[in-house]
Amino acid sequence: MADADRLPLPLRPDARLWMTVSPQRRVLGVVHNITSATRLLELLAVFDGDERIQVVFSCTDSSALDGGVSDFLLRRGVLTIPWRVAVAENFDPALATNRGGDLHKLRFPLIGAPHGAGYNKHLSREPGAGSREPGAGSREPGAGSREPGAGSREPGAGSREPGAFGLTEEWLLHDGHVVPSAIVLSHKEQLDRLAVSCPQALPKAVVAGDPCIDQLRVSLPFRESYLQAFGLLPGQRLVVVSSTWGAGSVLGSPRADVLRRFLAELSAEEFRVIAAVHPNIWHGHGSWQLHRWLAPFLDSGLLLPVPESDTWKAALCAADFLLGDHGSLTMYGIALGIPCILGAFDESKVAPGSPMARLGRLLPRLAADRPVQRQLAALHGQRDDPELQAVGETVTSEPGRSTELLRRLFYTWLRLEEPGHPACVSAIPVPSQPSGPGACRVPHEAPMFVTVSVTDDSAGEADGEVTVRRYPAARQHGHGPHIASAHLAADRDDPDRRWPRTADVLLVPRGRTAARPEDDPWCAYAAESSGCGLLAAETEEGGCLALLPDGGRVRVSWRERPAWAAFPLAASAVYAWTVREHTVGTARARPTRSERIVVRAGDLPDPGLLDLAYV
């Protein structure tokens, strides 16, 4: 063979002279794009520990969205061969999680599985992909035989409306013959749709559950570990924003203002937002470009994990809310019982009669004229909604059994006895880089609009209570109701001078090279800021020295410091207490004694206690 010198070792004619391990079977993993590759690796995990099996990968080179595949496979150290070599070689079975490409050219059994939450999308073949050459697609004797236990329903009647990607004749037949030797389904309801859209393929169907939802469910007990990895503090809530690919997705919609609104309207202390972005967006536009497009949101605290990791799964296990679209992640979220709202939903991409089509009719849409937090609060009733529960149950009809059933199917086609140990599901790893390697953090404090409420509480151990909520200033479009009566807190050295010039509170973090605030007059710091009411210089343990316009100073320290307590919150609390809410309007003389105030960060459970010493 002309390509023999480029074959990986297990495929060479003289392999036995050089190999350390001599596998008995060879499996071809067929890759279409990054999405199919990640699901393929999930399925191949059933072979872990079995030295009888060697896996080699090949990409069909048939997708316009196959960018990054070579690097993806290279980073994982897998053996790869060109597609032209794969179709000329002999393997025991091939395993594919996509129907694209010239799969009919394979000369050995092919097992086809979905790469998402079942079969929900309507998709036509890309021009030129998977040509139908007459006579192609023959199988070795026995390759197309029916798997024992496969679905045996008779084809049903029904209209041939556009069916689901992976279940129609367009994707399953070549020259009138069914291409896959076995078709993995995740739920029995898919048998009925297959019977209508491609009855010839029904004898090949095997209902084997969904390994992804099984892994998600066994990982739910580790929610706190995932929350800690994402940097969430006790009481903070995690919002997952999911976007599939295409113009009708959350990120592709003409009304793609979702990320900004969530970051703008949800208090930074009470909520964290993570974006789960489809690999086709990452690799279609480039990870560098995506980071540049989302850079303003990353600066406002958005978490953006790389797509080929399991971080999105950990995020679902930890999520309090989900904003989705017509992508599979939305379906998985519903199956886990996560309160969900739709930021986009492209009906033209959804297969009629599919569970996703039902979901699109049941879930509420994010409204542009209502506060985000109020819309999220209204979702809690979903947990008891029987219709949503029923849709969630369509993700798998074999809960907890996918690894067992898939292993049985694969080893039947391998003609090998299964390993003696039980087939079990691994828990999702704890993310090590939840924001991805391309994320960065600016060296200055982000400008924040801060709302405060002040209550006198002379009867308790403190003189009063201040509740603080902060919202990224750069993400606001006008003054919405969530920042009514807010003050602006900004870093004195922020390169975007519009923030410090209009700030009510100027922040000077520790470690700056400028002179110490206590050695400098007020005007040296606040001269550029019109209307500044307080300048706060950070001190040890997240406290500050607060300088007031009339020359007064307050030393501020945390007597009780919860995990969320930081210097900017202390500064805003002091501003609210001494300058804006408490002193101004009451004509109260500034005290010469110390004061003590309770500080709350929104609705987080643990309050802090600040000591204020007037000097």
Side-chain angles (χ1 to χ4, degrees), residues 33 36 41 59 78 129 184-185 253 326 412 424 436 444 475 588 605:
N33 52 28
S36 68
L41 293 178
C59 182
V78 302
V184 175
L185 307 180
S253 170
H326 55 284
T412 297
C424 61
H444 55 79
R475 305 285 73 81
R588 183 171 66 90

Side-chain angles (χ1 to χ4, degrees), residues 220-274:
L220 288 175
F222 311 112
R223 180 177 190 267
E224 290 301 321
S225 296
Y226 302 136
L227 287 172
Q228 292 175 16
F230 290 128
L232 269 77
L233 302 175
Q236 286 185 319
R237 287 170 285 180
L238 183 65
V239 179
V240 177
V241 175
S242 168
S243 179
T244 189
W245 64 279
S249 65
V250 163
L251 291 188
S253 170
R255 299 178 300 278
D257 195 34
V258 168
L259 283 176
R260 186 202 64 79
R261 286 193 64 195
F262 272 60
L263 292 166
E265 297 185 35
L266 298 178
S267 166
E269 272 63 56
E270 297 173 86
F271 293 89
R272 295 299 305 274
V273 180
I274 186 169

Side-chain angles (χ1 to χ4, degrees), residues 54-233:
Q54 173 74 56
V55 181
V56 177
F57 292 75
S58 184
C59 182
T60 58
D61 298 323
S62 60
S63 173
L65 296 168
D66 62 359
V69 170
S70 297
D71 289 341
F72 176 89
L73 298 176
L74 181 64
R75 286 195 301 270
R76 283 152 182 78
V78 302
L79 298 181
T80 61
I81 56 176
W83 182 246
R84 66 180 184 280
V85 175
V87 298
E89 283 288 326
N90 283 315
F91 288 84
D92 292 288
L95 179 59
T97 53
N98 196 289
R99 303 295 184 266
D102 291 329
L103 300 178
H104 59 276
K105 292 184 178 179
L106 298 174
R107 303 185 299 168
F108 37 85
L110 170 68
I111 301 173
H115 65 257
Y119 298 87
N120 289 295
K121 288 192 175 181
H122 169 64
L123 184 67
S124 295
R125 280 186 179 269
E126 298 167 9
S131 58
R132 310 278 207 275
E133 292 144 355
S138 61
R139 287 287 191 272
E140 295 175 344
S145 60
R146 181 179 163 197
E147 158 66 18
S152 57
R153 297 192 180 193
E154 292 298 319
S159 62
R160 295 299 179 89
E161 59 184 358
F165 166 58
L167 293 183
T168 63
E169 294 180 353
E170 179 184 15
W171 294 103
L172 294 173
L173 300 186
H174 177 78
D175 196 27
H177 300 287
V178 179
V179 174
S181 303
I183 302 168
V184 175
L185 307 180
S186 56
H187 196 282
K188 290 183 290 186
E189 66 87 17
Q190 294 156 17
L191 289 169
D192 296 325
R193 289 192 283 146
L194 182 63
V196 172
S197 57
C198 188
Q200 308 95 307
L202 198 60
K204 313 281 189 179
V206 182
V207 179
D210 185 304
C212 183
I213 192 62
D214 286 351
Q215 187 184 34
L216 287 166
R217 285 172 172 162
V218 302
S219 301
L220 288 175
F222 311 112
R223 180 177 190 267
E224 290 301 321
S225 296
Y226 302 136
L227 287 172
Q228 292 175 16
F230 290 128
L232 269 77
L233 302 175

